[in-house]
Amino acid sequence: MKYSAPKGFQDILPPEISVWQRIEAAARSVFVKYGFHEIRLPIIEATDIFVRSIGEITDIVEKEMYTFRDKGDRSVTLRPEGTAGAVRCFVEHGLHNLPSPQKFYYAGPMFRYERPQKGRFRQFYQIGVEAFGAAQPALDAEIIAMLNDFLKSIGLLNLNFELNSIGCDVCRPVYKEALQLFFRDKISGFCPDCNRRYNTNILRILDCKVERCVELRGGAPAVSGHLCEHCRIHFDELTGLLETLDVPFSLNANLVRGLDYYTKTTFEVTSEHLGAQKAVAAGGRYDKLVKEFGGPDTPAIGFAIGMERLATLLQTVVPPEKAAPKVFVATLGKQADTEGLRITKSLRNNGLWVEPSYGGASLKSQLRKADRIGAEYAVILGENELSSGKAQWKNLKEGTQGEVALTELQAFFAKA
Ligand code: ATP
Ligand code: MG
């Protein structure tokens, strides 16, 4: 029987994992400066949480969710994104009682039953952030600046920040009417999905990737011309603040995003080097969602970064690092094997990565292994060395060698 990972699921191995770890470490160190704290959320939630928040007429809820009944006959879903669970958590724990804004981040796997292809998996990882309790554009600006800082800190400079506002309960209905009017005579030429969207979620026609739909929707009214005064001021203040904070961005009137819960600000970070799946991170405001989940009226904003796509990009800038031990301890004979383990442990206590031989092999094959795993030094310990109290050392990179007293090993490698 030969097993393989399920379709659309993948293993992340060394050395590629080093890129992931670099991304995660950078995210933590940037986010903490902005006052974001980590939360860990369940990977499954009640299905209703996603249906209510993401929206019934969305790709995710219609086609992509891993939904099943558990043994208690409850409908549960492997989370397709993090915001819904974070909002559920915020409301459940009454976090609105703490000083606002409350700022959180999380990292972990998400699950969507999509057609696997480059940059699109059925299990993929996101780092997400959510900030609750401030309606001011200053929070939007900070969160976008934080994303920009983070991307810069890992060495990714040439990314596009696209920005839009999709309005609120006041102005969006008016805009939708304008869209309906514009598409009325043309809709039969659009794809079947867009035909459905015409009646159920017309904004999403602007997001369709089908070439013919992209062509046909040229000249559609832009949301910017339909924002109410409140949304217009919010957006203008935001763009002004982004300029002050030196965050480069471009406006994209078609940026409506695939989830229903967004209000006002939406944004996306894309790269030209990723092919069709070019969005690396995406987010927006969701001022209505906390209330919809039974909490008090609490404005909020967040974004999510797609780890696989980010790792793909980062690998072209900084190659994965193949980690290697400082010292390989080669031993010959039972007594030396034991002494070798003791030496290994004491060098590790000094902060070094040290590999013992685990015994049994010839010196030649032990040294070959030391070389293959990229060890910088080998220490050789046999019966003669034990009785003289000295070990031989070899610098495998430089080809130098010598002797060192066993009692001096710590000091020797502290300097080496
Ligand atoms: P797309 O337009 O690529 O389908 P989306 O709008 O469905 O993206 P979001 O829900 O906004 O994506 O998720 C945020 C980020 O998560 C995306 O920008 C992307 O980097 C990543 N992402 C989303 N779906 C997948 C997937 N199936 N595989 C890998 N990464 C994904
Ligand atoms: Mg998608």
Side-chain angles (χ1 to χ4, degrees):
M1 188 68 177
K2 215 173 162 193
Y3 292 113
S4 53
K7 196 174 162 205
F9 289 68
Q10 57 173 356
D11 305 306
I12 318 286
L13 307 175
E16 194 196 341
I17 196 76
S18 68
V19 179
W20 288 58
Q21 289 169 335
R22 197 171 330 127
I23 293 171
E24 285 161 2
R28 284 175 208 283
S29 88
V30 172
F31 295 173
V32 73
K33 290 188 276 184
Y34 282 80
F36 281 73
H37 300 289
E38 183 172 7
I39 47 173
R40 304 217 176 174
L41 301 165
I43 280 173
I44 60 172
E45 297 274 359
T47 301
D48 191 42
I49 282 180
F50 301 114
V51 177
R52 284 276 296 276
S53 59
I54 295 167
E56 265 171 89
I57 318 296
T58 55
D59 287 352
I60 294 181
V61 171
E62 279 184 316
K63 305 182 246 181
E64 298 172 358
M65 293 213 299
Y66 277 88
T67 297
F68 57 95
R69 295 212 159 259
D70 72 4
K71 290 196 170 118
D73 204 31
R74 288 169 285 255
S75 178
V76 292
T77 296
L78 290 179
R79 63 182 185 191
E81 52 100 59
T83 303
V87 172
R88 192 268 309 138
C89 163
F90 182 83
V91 174
E92 183 173 341
H93 298 283
L95 301 181
H96 60 275
N97 292 317
L98 301 171
S100 295
Q102 283 290 310
K103 301 183 274 191
F104 303 108
Y105 76 90
Y106 48 83
M110 306 293 160
F111 304 85
R112 296 184 195 176
Y113 196 84
E114 303 207 62
R115 190 168 69 79
Q117 53 194 292
K118 186 168 177 280
R120 209 179 274 298
F121 305 93
R122 290 181 173 171
Q123 175 178 330
F124 61 100
Y125 286 75
Q126 286 186 339
I127 300 179
V129 316
E130 318 288 347
F132 298 92
Q136 297 90 331
L139 181 62
D140 309 38
E142 267 228 313
I143 221 171
I144 296 172
M146 178 170 88
L147 179 55
N148 186 48
D149 265 7
F150 157 69
L151 293 166
K152 269 167 64 181
S153 82
I154 53 173
L156 289 177
L157 303 174
N158 297 318
L159 298 170
N160 315 311
F161 271 75
E162 295 180 11
L163 193 65
N164 195 22
S165 171
I166 56 168
C168 65
D169 283 353
V170 175
C171 49
R172 207 180 311 162
V174 184
Y175 178 53
K176 281 183 172 172
E177 269 173 38
L179 285 178
Q180 253 153 4
L181 203 66
F182 175 83
F183 286 120
R184 188 148 61 201
D185 309 331
K186 305 178 182 58
I187 194 65
S188 54
F190 282 69
C191 72
D193 275 346
C194 281
N195 270 273
R196 234 163 8 96
R197 288 167 186 150
Y198 181 79
N199 292 313
T200 54
N201 197 347
I202 194 160
L203 242 61
R204 300 216 43 242
I205 297 182
L206 301 174
D207 191 34
C208 184
K209 311 282 190 302
V210 175
E211 216 170 291
R212 188 166 162 68
C213 301
V214 176
E215 256 171 53
L216 282 174
R217 71 171 178 239
V223 64
S224 49
H226 290 78
L227 294 180
C228 61
E229 201 192 346
H230 182 74
C231 289
R232 157 73 28 222
I233 292 172
H234 186 99
F235 196 60
D236 288 347
E237 281 186 27
L238 170 59
T239 53
L241 287 169
L242 290 177
E243 275 159 22
T244 307
L245 297 175
D246 282 329
V247 181
F249 62 89
S250 56
L251 301 180
N252 176 358
N254 287 337
L255 190 66
V256 294
R257 318 264 320 103
L259 307 97
D260 268 2
Y261 51 61
Y262 287 114
T263 48
K264 294 200 181 110
T265 313
T266 56
F267 55 95
E268 202 163 84
V269 180
T270 59
S271 163
E272 297 315 317
H273 302 289
L274 282 174
Q277 271 60 254
K278 64 191 172 86
V280 179
R285 241 185 202 284
Y286 50 94
D287 288 346
K288 300 279 162 206
L289 199 54
V290 173
K291 190 160 184 207
E292 201 158 306
F293 271 53
D297 214 345
T298 309
I301 180 167
F303 66 72
I305 302 163
M307 283 287 282
E308 287 77 5
R309 295 183 199 177
L310 196 60
T312 302
L313 272 184
L314 193 56
Q315 282 185 47
T316 63
V317 186
V318 199
E321 249 171 57
K322 197 162 185 307
K326 179 83 178 175
V327 185
F328 182 88
V329 182
T331 49
L332 287 168
K334 265 264 169 282
Q335 221 187 326
D337 290 349
T338 307
E339 179 61 9
L341 278 185
R342 200 193 57 75
I343 289 170
T344 299
K345 180 167 182 281
S346 72
L347 289 176
R348 284 175 180 157
N349 287 346
N350 278 13
L352 302 178
W353 176 6
V354 186
E355 283 297 313
S357 82
Y358 299 112
S362 71
L363 182 60
K364 196 168 160 211
S365 87
Q366 289 187 51
L367 290 179
R368 205 180 315 124
K369 178 175 160 190
D371 219 31
R372 271 188 67 193
I373 63 175
E376 191 181 341
Y377 283 89
V379 164
I380 300 159
L381 206 60
E383 273 166 31
N384 292 345
E385 284 77 11
L386 282 182
S387 53
S388 69
K390 284 182 180 159
Q392 296 177 51
W393 61 263
K394 275 179 191 289
N395 184 320
L396 300 169
K397 304 287 170 207
E398 291 170 1
T400 50
Q401 56 188 355
E403 266 190 356
V404 54
L406 295 180
T407 51
E408 293 298 313
L409 272 171
Q410 307 270 8
F412 180 84
F413 283 113
K415 280 182 272 161

